[in-house]
Amino acid sequence: MPSIEAVNLSKQYGSFAALSNLNLKIEGAKCVGFLGPNGAGKTTTLKLFTDLIRPSSGEALINGVNVHTNKKKALDSVGALIEMPEIYPALTPREALMMIAEIRGVPKDERNKRIEEAVSEVRMDEWINKRVGKFSKGMKQRICVASALLSDPAVVLLDEPTTGLDPRGMSEVRDIIKSLKNKKRLIFMSSHLLSEVSDVCDEIAIIDHGKLIIYDTLSNVTAKVSGGENVVEVELRNAVDAELIKKIVTNIPGIDKAEKSDGTTFRINFTGGLDAQERILGDLVKMKIGIVSYRPASSALEEAYLSLVKSTI
């Protein structure tokens, strides 16, 4: 089971504490969003987990191995993308990734196969032999994600992977991150975009002023702040009408409120944790109303985030 763990992890720059006694253990195949304001310590944490910088005290462990004292073994199963690198415009993705595969020690006879698999995972197959200089920023970002996948890692560390992209580019990269979960990977992804985390991640860790505020599932975090009430957003294949909303509230126990969000989505307020959320989803599916997605509402996460971060100022 893949895991990452920070044990009393700290980083000081003179009198400034970029990270203060971070204790965080994440285990299993899932996507965890690492949230916090700019300067909160997100990139510092990721750099400590990849030994790009040394801790002032404490340990960063990957699969139980100390990254700083046993770097090769710890990072053997890790793919990381910290502060998006630039690719030489004259190179093709195949050429750029071949250089990276060589540096990372991928066996020579496996390099082409690994490159093709990684490029396929980011859906850039048809561009593999085209020069990167002609690519959009989103396409370059996808090739950068492919570079993190060359060793078929069990742990993937991503530092704000959609920064600077237009809405289409952001959507493409998010879809790719979602698909990475299918290969039993642990994905730890920093972001300051709440809608992105709500869409992609299973759990969230919130950091501010170098300290961990909370680590839990999305629904538990929003429930803790809202006094036990959760909000999920449900998207349907067809339009939502008032009659359907009334039917849902009447027929499904545990729903405190349901209201239409826009044409094909509605929000449900309910009390309880994951068990209640799972039961309500089961009841909705039985109604055969054409559900295409069911997720914690991003506005609920925003309220929780602002409340938690504000309390640390």
Side-chain angles (χ1 to χ4, degrees):
M1 186 194 296
S3 70
I4 64 173
E5 184 177 6
V7 182
N8 295 321
L9 194 60
S10 298
K11 182 63 182 176
Q12 290 277 146
Y13 293 100
S15 61
F16 173 66
L19 203 63
S20 301
N21 292 318
L22 179 67
N23 285 288
L24 175 66
K25 187 171 187 178
I26 301 169
E27 291 181 298
K30 60 181 100 169
C31 183
V32 179
F34 194 34
L35 279 170
N38 289 333
K42 301 188 301 293
T43 299
T44 298
T45 303
L46 289 168
K47 284 182 173 178
L48 288 165
F49 269 118
T50 47
D51 204 41
L52 287 169
I53 56 175
R54 297 178 176 190
S56 301
S57 60
E59 295 180 299
L61 309 171
I62 293 180
N63 298 327
V65 181
N66 186 306
V67 172
H68 185 53
T69 58
N70 198 345
K71 185 174 182 175
K72 191 173 190 311
K73 187 179 178 187
L75 297 182
D76 197 42
S77 57
V78 175
L81 209 49
I82 316 288
E83 293 179 339
M84 288 291 170
E86 194 57 55
I87 306 165
Y88 290 119
L91 295 179
T92 66
R94 189 187 293 278
E95 289 165 345
L97 295 173
M98 188 63 78
M99 287 168 59
I100 294 165
E102 192 176 339
I103 291 165
R104 294 204 181 144
V106 175
K108 198 170 185 178
D109 58 346
E110 290 180 28
R111 284 175 199 163
N112 261 317
K113 180 173 175 282
R114 295 268 190 95
I115 287 166
E116 283 164 13
E117 284 172 354
V119 170
S120 179
E121 270 203 85
V122 299
R123 301 166 203 167
M124 289 286 286
D125 310 62
E126 62 188 285
W127 299 89
I128 193 166
N129 295 314
K130 305 274 198 316
R131 294 195 191 284
V132 170
K134 294 187 170 67
F135 290 6
S136 69
K137 186 160 186 185
M139 292 162 74
K140 288 177 187 171
Q141 214 99 312
R142 284 152 71 182
I143 295 302
C144 287
V145 173
S147 74
L149 303 176
L150 284 175
S151 55
D152 192 19
V155 175
V156 179
L157 306 175
L158 301 172
D159 185 21
E160 300 192 354
T162 62
T163 295
L165 299 185
D166 63 16
R168 182 181 168 184
M170 291 170 88
S171 175
E172 288 169 349
V173 172
R174 282 177 194 166
D175 284 346
I176 287 158
I177 294 165
K178 284 184 205 171
S179 71
L180 298 185
K181 292 195 280 187
N182 299 336
K183 285 206 171 178
K184 306 293 179 207
R185 294 185 174 116
L186 168 54
I187 301 154
F188 188 52
M189 179 182 96
S190 78
S191 179
H192 57 259
L193 300 172
L194 300 174
S195 57
E196 174 171 280
V197 169
S198 182
D199 184 30
V200 173
C201 300
D202 308 299
E203 298 173 350
I204 55 170
I206 300 178
I207 190 174
D208 192 22
H209 291 88
K211 294 180 180 176
L212 184 72
I213 300 170
I214 195 167
Y215 167 53
D216 212 328
T217 62
L218 274 163
S219 55
N220 284 352
V221 168
T222 53
K224 278 175 187 172
V225 173
S226 61
E229 190 170 69
N230 272 299
V231 185
V232 292
E233 200 162 66
V234 186
E235 185 180 356
L236 303 184
R237 187 191 296 262
N238 301 310
V240 177
D241 58 34
E243 192 60 38
L244 177 63
I245 295 288
K246 188 178 174 185
K247 190 177 168 187
I248 286 164
V249 175
T250 306
N251 293 335
I252 300 180
I255 292 180
D256 303 327
K257 186 171 75 172
E259 59 185 359
K260 183 175 172 177
S261 300
D262 60 36
T264 58
T265 61
F266 62 93
R267 290 162 56 116
I268 291 172
N269 294 52
F270 66 93
T271 306
L274 286 176
D275 289 345
Q277 189 169 318
E278 183 183 0
R279 179 187 54 74
I280 289 167
L281 174 58
D283 290 344
L284 284 167
V285 169
K286 282 176 196 161
M287 289 177 74
K288 296 188 172 159
I289 54 177
I291 294 174
V292 294
S293 77
Y294 179 85
R295 59 181 181 267
S298 55
S299 59
L301 176 59
E302 184 176 346
E303 286 159 23
Y305 173 83
L306 291 172
S307 168
L308 289 162
V309 168
K310 203 180 288 172
S311 68
T312 70
I313 294 170

